[in-house]
Each structure stands twice: as C-alpha cells, then as structure tokens.
Amino acid sequence: EPEVTQTPSHQVTQMGQEVILRCVPISNHLYFYWYRQILGQKVEFLVSFYNNEISEKSEIFDDQFSVERPDGSNFTLKIRSTKLEDSAMYFCASSENHDQETQYFGPGTRLLVL
Amino acid sequence: GENVEQHPSTLSVQEGDSAVIKCTYSDSASNYFPWYKQELGKRPQLIIDIRSNVGEKKDQRIAVTLNKTAKHFSLHITETQPEDSAVYFCAASPNTNAGKSTFGDGTTLTVKP
C-alpha cells in the first residue's frame, strides 16, 4: 500500500539555523499538508497546499515558514531561522482530492532546536 | 476558527470493556470528522471517519456517532484489547479545498489485561 514518506526522521539544529524537512506524498494525491505536534500535545495544522500554491495556513505558519513543491514528487517545509519553540514532530500528510478528505500521514520528522 | 474539545483526557478500562471518547466542535461548517489512533512515537493513523450526512458508522469493534445539531461526535470501542492502548485524537474539517483539520487534545486510552 502506498505511504507518505518523510526525511530525515530526526534533525538536530542550532537556534537560528535554517532547516528543510522533506516529504514525498502518495503519488496520485493532489493535496498536501504540514502539521506539527509538540511533545505530549495535540496535532496542529500548519499549512495546506494545492495546485502549487498555499490553500490555507494557520497563525503558527508565520514568515519564517515556507513550503515548496520543487519537483513532481517532493513537498518541503522550510523553517528559515529556527527557534527553541520550533522543536516538535512535523508530520506531512496528503489526500487525493477535496471530495475525499481522508488524509494519510507520514512517519514524521522529529526536530530538536538547541 | 474551529475549536474542538475532547473528553476525557485519559481513560482506563479493563480488557473486554467498552470505551467511549467524546468530542464537541464549534464551527457549523465542519462536515468531516476523522478519528486517529497514535501509538507512542508513531504517526497518527485514521481508524474511522464520518461525514455530516451520516449519523452513525461502524467498522467491526469501532463505531462513531455524530449529532450535528448538538455539534458533538463520539468514538465507541467495544470489546477492548490491550493493543487498543494508544492516544486517540478526534478532528473536524470543513468541506473546502484546503481540507484543514482541527484536532482535539487527545485521549490516552489504557486497556488493562
């Protein structure tokens, strides 16, 4: 069964550094999402992406965040200048179309900002 | 924006008993309600979902009920097993192209053998 994949599984970075988290959505899916989950807390929506542009973003998704689909398979989340509070698990998800909202989550990238 | 509240935050049951987790939502535009199971350190996995044109849905030991008037929906697990132990999240999503989901705070379910 096709799955969403994410790399790296873990990332440690220094405060102020830029990080890029990578995702490969399921191949025939058209809608892509990033969520984050701070340790022990709920999953929080960051951004959704369709047709090469952001569809919706939350208040968490400020100017330090950006997303990109650089080619036909990858979907990336860039954090420009990381802060301690960016430490979290970041999940990518994808869904086939807006009439079928079932989202399939990737395994996540655990980001630790020191 | 949408606000989803989930209760209880922790739930402990004996193997074989039933477990019920309840969620309320605030945005009447929400019409898709998935439930996710998340084991420690793993990704959220969809276990069942319900759309607003349906009042109840069942899949083996798992069922979900939806009351749109009262804006609440519930997850029912019957004949619980130790492997059901996990964190369960409800979510609510509007019918837009974005498919944004707002999650509840989660319920830690422990099934004691």
Side-chain angles (χ1 to χ4, degrees):
Chain A
E1 186 176 334
E3 285 191 332
V4 176
T5 60
Q6 288 184 243
T7 54
S9 58
H10 294 79
Q11 173 105 37
V12 181
T13 190
Q14 293 290 324
M15 189 171 57
Q17 295 296 304
E18 175 183 287
V19 295
I20 297 177
L21 310 184
R22 291 182 167 80
C23 169
V24 178
I26 295 173
S27 62
N28 63 330
H29 285 189
L30 302 177
Y31 292 82
F32 316 120
Y33 315 87
W34 282 102
Y35 293 87
R36 81 170 185 192
Q37 186 178 32
I38 295 170
L39 188 64
Q41 298 186 22
K42 67 178 172 182
V43 177
E44 298 175 291
F45 170 80
L46 293 178
V47 65
S48 58
F49 191 87
Y50 169 71
N51 199 26
N52 283 319
E53 59 184 26
I54 290 174
S55 300
E56 192 166 354
K57 59 183 180 180
S58 72
E59 59 276 6
I60 302 169
F61 193 87
D62 61 21
D63 292 344
Q64 68 163 335
F65 291 94
S66 63
V67 289
E68 193 178 27
R69 187 153 164 84
D71 53 44
S73 60
N74 288 285
F75 178 52
T76 62
L77 174 69
K78 182 190 291 186
I79 309 176
R80 258 180 277 281
S81 177
T82 50
K83 298 179 279 197
L84 296 177
E85 54 265 38
D86 293 329
S87 296
M89 181 74 97
Y90 288 81
F91 291 106
C92 172
S94 68
S95 64
E96 192 170 351
N97 58 57
H98 68 278
D99 289 323
Q100 185 176 323
E101 298 93 340
T102 302
Q103 297 181 18
Y104 296 87
F105 281 74
T109 293
R110 184 166 294 285
L111 176 65
L112 179 60
V113 182
L114 301 176
Chain B
E2 176 66 278
N3 181 46
V4 176
E5 295 191 357
Q6 183 172 347
H7 300 280
S9 56
T10 60
L11 180 59
S12 181
V13 299
Q14 282 299 129
E15 182 177 0
D17 288 350
S18 295
V20 180
I21 303 170
K22 299 182 179 181
C23 288
T24 60
Y25 62 99
S26 60
D27 189 350
S28 56
S30 291
N31 63 357
Y32 174 64
F33 307 93
W35 284 90
Y36 295 90
K37 176 183 180 182
Q38 187 178 32
E39 296 173 351
L40 192 62
K42 301 278 185 71
R43 74 186 84 189
Q45 293 210 299
L46 181 75
I47 55 171
I48 195 167
D49 57 13
I50 191 167
R51 289 171 173 80
S52 60
N53 57 343
V54 174
E56 184 173 355
K57 184 177 177 181
K58 191 172 181 180
D59 182 4
Q60 298 182 342
R61 296 186 297 109
I62 295 172
V64 57
T65 58
L66 170 65
N67 183 329
K68 279 218 79 178
T69 303
K71 296 198 188 72
H72 66 71
F73 56 112
S74 302
L75 177 72
H76 304 252
I77 307 174
T78 58
E79 300 170 35
T80 53
Q81 301 165 2
E83 50 266 38
D84 293 330
S85 297
V87 180
Y88 290 81
F89 291 97
C90 64
S93 178
N95 184 24
T96 66
N97 288 344
K100 170 185 173 180
S101 286
T102 301
F103 282 69
D105 287 339
T107 296
T108 301
L109 174 65
T110 303
V111 181
K112 298 178 183 175

